Amino acid sequence: MVGVEGTARSACMRLDAILHQAAAVDASDIHLVPGHVPMVRVDTIMRGLDGPVLTSECIDGFVTGIASDAQRQQLCENKDLDLSYAVENIGRYRVNVHHQRTGTAMAMRAIRDKVPPLDMLNLPLVVQQFAMLPRGLVLVTGDTGSGKSTTLAAIIQSINSHQRKHIITLEDPIEYTFESRQCLIEQRELGDDMPDFTSGLKHALRQDPDIILVGEMRDLETTALAMSAAETGHLVLSTLHTVSASQTVERIIDMYPATQQNQIRSMLGNTLQAVVSQVLFPRADAAGMVPAVEILLCTPAVRNLIRENRTFEIPNVIETSRSLGMTTLDSSIAELCFNGLITREDAIARASHPTAMEQAIAA
């Protein structure tokens, strides 16, 4: 048994050495795949680290070093495993272990130790107002790696610094860790502290929360409970993998059977407060990333569009409501380009309407 523990410690030391290298170049993601040197993503670009080519046995050793017996059993059964891993003086990582053609592989996402202040994220000022909402549903959406978790964490930290509330977070896994300041904050991790989001959310409603953060509304039951919590006076923050505000509304409604969709449009029209859809760009003026965002605020006009199944009109409302703080994604991208924060090529490539973007930034 001592030999097994010593092997696990040795594997963790080798893994930690790779993570030290990755941290030195400010990598956001680390990929450990048999037959390759450790690969990292720095400002969206993949590059290799110095070191030997990894073997499947080496990566299996890493897994043995960081995963419990129960987690390794889960990996055997499901061929995928999500967990978190922390390295002293470096930080925490969100880890996915999976099987692929050449053996076991790992993808690790760096989680920053400190929650950045909202005003340091280059987000529109209106986002700071979401921390003051008394109730309702606020959604931050975007592709994987678009900064959704960071935006939500910054909103939670703003509440934590200025209000006296009870906050419960339900996460998979816990990313940013919070210290209770003005607020009492409880963080629950999928697997260790709750079997699934549905169970965690159901029981959270009996734990006297003011604010609930749900890591992802990934199924109908979780979505229904989140909307019910928002409808009964809680502020609910969550994420979806959608790329626009109108698509977010449609995705939620489409989760429900057709016979319930009219009722859900009414409920969503009453509870939704705001949608922030994010895309991260590598900065052209400095190292790092900067977000472009689409922001939908649920004004009476927007609520009527949702209730009346006219979500296709939401982009027009956003375009004509800039004075209220709304913005389309393409407008946000164009502004970043005009200010020299992103390149013209990136702006056109990531725009919803590339031809119109090319004309706009050429003017």
Side-chain angles (χ1 to χ4, degrees):
M1 186 66 181
V2 174
V4 172
E5 291 177 352
T7 299
R9 282 196 299 270
S10 177
C12 284
M13 289 175 64
R14 295 198 302 275
L15 177 59
D16 291 357
I18 292 172
L19 297 178
H20 272 89
Q21 277 189 273
V25 296
D26 199 26
S28 62
D29 298 84
I30 300 93
H31 296 271
L32 308 177
V33 179
H36 299 271
V37 298
M39 301 292 293
V40 298
R41 187 181 298 278
V42 180
D43 294 343
T44 75
I45 306 300
M46 294 291 291
R47 55 181 283 189
L49 295 178
D50 294 334
V53 170
L54 298 168
T55 64
S56 184
E57 292 76 16
C58 176
I59 297 172
D60 286 337
F62 294 162
V63 176
T64 299
I66 69 174
S68 66
D69 290 344
Q71 288 171 327
R72 292 197 297 275
Q73 181 62 35
Q74 181 183 337
L75 176 62
C76 288
E77 294 172 357
N78 301 332
K79 308 304 181 186
D80 273 280
L81 172 67
D82 292 317
L83 68 159
S84 58
Y85 181 60
V87 183
E88 190 174 356
N89 299 323
I90 295 184
R92 301 179 66 251
Y93 295 85
R94 185 176 67 196
V95 184
N96 172 266
V97 185
H98 54 277
H99 290 292
Q100 47 91 58
R101 184 179 60 83
T102 58
T104 306
M106 298 172 64
M108 308 181 73
R109 165 67 54 83
I111 302 169
R112 307 304 179 190
D113 286 336
K114 295 182 179 179
V115 181
L118 262 177
D119 57 8
M120 297 294 289
L121 294 181
N122 290 296
L123 293 168
L125 288 175
V126 70
V127 176
Q128 298 183 29
Q129 299 175 18
F130 300 163
M132 304 304 296
L133 291 170
R135 66 186 66 83
L137 180 64
V138 174
L139 298 174
V140 180
T141 77
D143 294 333
T144 300
S146 61
K148 302 185 296 294
S149 297
T150 299
T151 296
L152 285 178
I155 292 173
I156 290 291
Q157 193 71 298
S158 178
I159 298 170
N160 188 27
S161 299
H162 298 101
Q163 301 182 53
R164 294 184 180 275
K165 302 285 187 179
H166 181 202
I167 301 172
I168 296 176
T169 77
L170 312 173
E171 303 175 68
D172 179 26
I174 289 172
E175 296 195 18
Y176 293 97
T177 55
F178 298 96
E179 293 182 7
S180 296
R181 295 179 181 174
Q182 299 290 335
C183 293
L184 171 64
I185 302 181
E186 298 183 72
Q187 293 184 262
R188 305 186 70 194
E189 182 167 287
L190 194 69
D192 287 344
D193 305 313
M194 57 184 180
D196 49 54
F197 280 129
T198 301
S199 173
L201 187 50
K202 185 183 300 181
H203 290 93
L205 294 174
R206 299 168 185 160
Q207 293 158 10
D208 187 36
D210 298 294
I211 296 141
I212 305 171
L213 184 150
V214 183
E216 183 184 348
M217 296 195 334
R218 59 178 58 164
D219 55 49
L220 174 57
E221 195 169 2
T222 302
T223 300
L225 284 168
M227 289 177 58
S228 177
E231 192 175 42
T232 54
H234 303 84
L235 177 60
V236 179
L237 311 173
S238 192
T239 71
L240 279 173
H241 288 283
T242 50
V243 296
S244 70
S246 57
Q247 186 186 97
T248 300
V249 173
E250 291 165 0
R251 174 72 60 82
I252 292 172
I253 293 169
D254 287 345
M255 287 183 182
Y256 289 81
T259 55
Q260 297 180 27
Q261 289 184 0
N262 284 337
Q263 176 188 351
I264 296 310
R265 287 189 190 97
S266 178
M267 182 183 291
L268 187 59
N270 291 335
T271 59
L272 188 63
Q273 293 279 11
V275 178
V276 180
S277 298
Q278 298 190 178
V279 177
L280 280 184
F281 286 83
R283 294 186 69 130
D285 62 331
M289 309 289 286
V290 64
V293 295
E294 177 167 286
I295 294 182
L296 171 70
L297 305 177
C298 282
T299 61
V302 171
R303 297 188 191 282
N304 283 335
L305 292 181
I306 294 173
R307 294 188 191 105
E308 295 170 9
N309 195 21
R310 293 159 55 199
T311 53
F312 60 90
E313 296 182 38
I314 286 177
N316 292 333
V317 173
I318 295 174
E319 185 68 45
T320 57
S321 303
R322 295 185 184 184
S323 62
L324 301 177
M326 298 197 215
T327 183
T328 64
L329 182 62
D330 280 5
S331 294
S332 178
I333 292 173
E335 184 177 353
L336 292 177
C337 186
F338 287 138
N339 291 333
L341 297 179
I342 65 174
T343 66
R344 180 178 182 274
E345 291 74 20
D346 280 347
I348 295 170
R350 304 290 295 277
S352 302
H353 303 94
T355 301
M357 177 63 68
E358 188 170 10
Q359 294 172 349
I361 61 181

